[in-house]
Amino acid sequence: METSIDQENITKKKALNKMKRSALALLGFAVLLFIIAIYFKIPMLQAFSEAAMVGGIADWFAVVALFRHPLGIPIWHTAIIPTKKNEIGENLGNFVSEEFLNREKLEIKLEEFNFAAKASDWLSQEENADKIANLVAVNVIPGVLRTIKDEDIKRFIQVQFKEKLEGINFGDWVALALEPLQKGQFKDQLLTNLLEVMAKELSNNKDLIRKKVKQSTPFLSFGLADKSISEGVFNGLYDFLNEAKNPESTIRLKIDEYINDFLNKIKNSEEMRIKINTMILGFAGKKEVQDYINGIWDEIKLSISNDLDKGDESSIKKSISGLVQSFGNGIKEDAVMIDKINNFIKNDLLSILLNNKEVIGDLISSTVKSWDGKEVSEKLELEIGKDLQYIRINGTLVGGLIGILIYCVEWTYHYFV
């Protein structure tokens, strides 16, 4: 951005110097004509060149006096801009606050402009929506990601996660989730399926049971009791599970009794609910869970950065562009919304501006006063100096023409009188 501005200033500087040389060359040409007129005794040419020189020099003085002292001589009422900078700033602030921030004038302009309609038309165009999306994707989002501290975000997520967990009564949730188990058929079918899975897994792990039994028997038995013990353990567990599958069995009735007692405690015992909440909150406080929570932000940040690196193919950029267009189209098709926006600008925003017009005027004034006088003068000359050189050129030419006119009037007077 700075390179572009510097290049623009260089171009303006070249154009300004070119116009200065042109005005100076024309003044030099007038001086040459004056010498020729004197040498060859040409009265009309002398009148023209004299007036042209006077006009050119006078206008040169006037133009230069705006920005600096002519020839470096501190003549009274010269270098007007740098020396009168504070007064200019104050007058500019008063002018803006009094002339521009005027309710009657602003209301008329706002009525004619129809800001909401024009804004919606602009936003609904794909090219403009892409510009906004590109601005957000290239500057805003990366800037936000660079500015915020990862530690603060992770701490915020952890605090929010903890507060949300602490605000949940998991005992109620567990009781509500397990309530269907007390309704008979569903509970019986679920329990039967669970026992069948356990029996199947027991059969699949028979060798593992035998190995575990062998590791647990005394070394001096020389493995003689391993087989009988493992078979006894396996058969005992298998018979227990098979008997428990029968809804009418004593084991099954005991299991049902235990489950119902557990569910009743969850539903009716505050102590049990506190234990469940404490257990879940304790699990959430484990390092592994905290590390996972911290990793959420890292994953989000990485995903955003990777997506933005895709440029025009970024899904975030496309989404923003689509939202901007949809917003523009939505306003365009909603007459009520257009009226609301225009009324807001006309009434609320306008009132804010008018109530603070003195503050705005003071802001303009103080801003101009804070500028360096020489720098302001140079910048203004760079912006308008090129056009002001035409004053010098016109002064030279018009002065010469007026000189001829005066000479003609004088000649006519002497000729007839």
Side-chain angles (χ1 to χ4, degrees):
M1 180 64 71
E2 291 182 0
T3 304
S4 176
I5 294 175
D6 291 341
Q7 187 61 44
E8 184 179 354
N9 288 339
I10 291 173
T11 303
K12 290 179 179 178
K13 186 75 173 178
K14 288 180 178 179
L16 173 60
N17 291 334
K18 181 180 179 181
M19 287 303 302
K20 284 183 176 180
R21 288 193 297 269
S22 298
L24 184 60
L26 185 60
L27 180 59
F29 183 67
V31 173
L32 180 61
L33 290 180
F34 177 73
I35 295 172
I36 293 172
I38 293 295
Y39 184 80
F40 291 101
K41 295 182 172 51
I42 307 174
M44 183 176 289
L45 183 59
Q46 182 179 344
F48 172 84
S49 58
E50 283 178 348
M53 287 190 296
V54 171
I57 293 172
D59 286 336
W60 166 82
F61 182 90
V63 171
V64 172
L66 286 172
F67 305 105
R68 66 187 68 84
H69 297 299
L71 301 176
I73 303 172
I75 303 172
W76 189 45
H77 280 306
T78 58
I80 294 173
I81 291 175
T83 56
K84 299 290 184 180
K85 171 178 62 70
N86 292 346
E87 291 86 342
I88 292 172
E90 191 170 339
N91 291 333
L92 179 61
N94 292 334
F95 176 75
V96 171
S97 62
E98 295 299 329
E99 296 299 325
F100 284 90
L101 299 179
N102 179 283
R103 178 176 291 276
E104 290 74 18
K105 294 179 180 179
L106 287 175
E107 284 182 346
I108 294 173
K109 291 297 181 183
L110 289 174
E111 287 285 355
E112 295 174 352
F113 187 68
N114 193 347
F115 174 83
K118 285 183 169 56
S120 62
D121 287 338
W122 192 87
L123 291 173
S124 61
Q125 296 177 22
E126 183 178 358
E127 179 183 359
N128 297 328
D130 287 342
K131 288 180 181 178
I132 296 176
N134 188 67
L135 175 66
V136 175
V138 174
N139 297 318
V140 178
I141 296 178
V144 172
L145 292 179
R146 287 192 301 270
T147 302
I148 58 179
K149 296 181 179 179
D150 293 345
E151 295 76 12
D152 294 339
I153 296 296
K154 292 176 180 179
R155 190 181 305 112
F156 174 79
I157 294 175
Q158 286 180 348
V159 170
Q160 293 299 312
F161 180 73
K162 182 180 179 182
E163 289 180 352
K164 294 299 181 184
L165 285 182
E166 291 176 347
I168 297 174
N169 191 329
F170 289 99
D172 290 340
W173 281 29
V174 172
L176 183 64
L178 297 179
E179 188 175 356
L181 293 179
Q182 290 183 302
K183 296 183 179 179
Q185 187 176 359
F186 177 80
K187 178 192 67 176
D188 292 338
Q189 185 62 48
L190 180 63
L191 188 55
T192 299
N193 293 340
L194 178 62
L195 292 168
E196 287 178 351
V197 171
M198 292 174 68
K200 183 177 179 181
E201 288 300 314
L202 183 65
S203 298
N204 293 337
N205 291 276
K206 188 174 182 179
D207 293 338
L208 179 61
I209 293 173
R210 185 180 292 117
K211 183 178 179 181
K212 292 294 183 182
V213 170
K214 184 177 181 179
Q215 291 174 350
S216 303
T217 53
F219 176 73
L220 294 176
S221 67
F222 300 103
L224 297 177
D226 293 350
K227 185 174 182 181
S228 59
I229 294 174
S230 63
E231 287 295 330
V233 172
F234 175 79
N235 292 333
L237 290 172
Y238 196 78
D239 291 342
F240 175 83
L241 293 175
N242 278 331
E243 186 177 353
K245 292 179 187 178
N246 182 6
E248 305 299 328
S249 67
T250 303
I251 296 175
R252 182 63 168 266
L253 293 175
K254 286 289 184 181
I255 294 174
D256 288 345
E257 183 180 348
Y258 175 79
I259 292 174
N260 288 329
D261 182 59
F262 176 73
L263 293 176
N264 286 328
K265 283 184 178 179
I266 293 177
K267 290 175 65 176
N268 304 315
S269 173
E270 184 66 25
E271 182 181 357
M272 180 62 74
R273 296 191 184 198
I274 292 174
K275 286 182 179 180
I276 293 173
N277 284 336
T278 302
M279 180 183 67
I280 293 176
L281 291 175
F283 171 77
K286 288 184 176 296
K287 182 179 182 302
E288 294 81 358
V289 178
Q290 293 298 311
D291 290 342
Y292 174 77
I293 295 172
N294 288 337
I296 293 175
W297 169 244
D298 293 331
E299 289 293 329
I300 293 173
K301 187 175 180 180
L302 181 61
S303 298
I304 293 173
S305 298
N306 289 339
D307 182 80
L308 294 179
D309 288 340
K310 296 177 182 177
D312 291 337
E313 298 302 318
S314 167
S315 58
I316 295 177
K317 183 177 176 181
K318 290 180 179 179
S319 297
I320 295 173
S321 179
L323 286 172
V324 171
Q325 281 186 272
S326 298
F327 179 72
N329 288 324
I331 295 176
K332 188 189 300 185
E333 297 168 1
D334 191 341
V336 176
M337 181 59 70
I338 288 179
D339 287 339
K340 285 183 177 180
I341 293 174
N342 284 333
N343 287 333
F344 167 76
I345 294 173
K346 182 179 177 181
N347 298 320
D348 299 339
L349 189 59
L350 182 58
S351 295
I352 293 173
L353 287 174
L354 294 175
N355 291 336
N356 293 278
K357 69 177 187 176
E358 291 184 5
V359 176
I360 296 172
D362 290 341
L363 176 63
I364 295 173
S365 175
S366 61
T367 301
V368 174
K369 288 178 181 179
S370 67
W371 292 344
D372 178 73
K374 183 179 179 182
E375 185 179 353
V376 172
S377 179
E378 290 175 351
K379 287 183 177 180
L380 283 175
E381 185 177 17
L382 201 61
E383 295 297 328
I384 63 174
K386 176 185 173 183
D387 295 321
L388 291 179
Q389 302 312 308
Y390 285 105
I391 295 177
R392 295 174 57 189
I393 294 173
N394 293 336
T396 303
L397 295 175
V398 172
L401 293 175
I402 292 175
I404 292 177
L405 179 61
I406 294 174
Y407 173 80
C408 292
V409 171
E410 184 182 3
W411 181 85
T412 303
Y413 174 80
H414 288 298
Y415 182 79
F416 289 103
V417 176

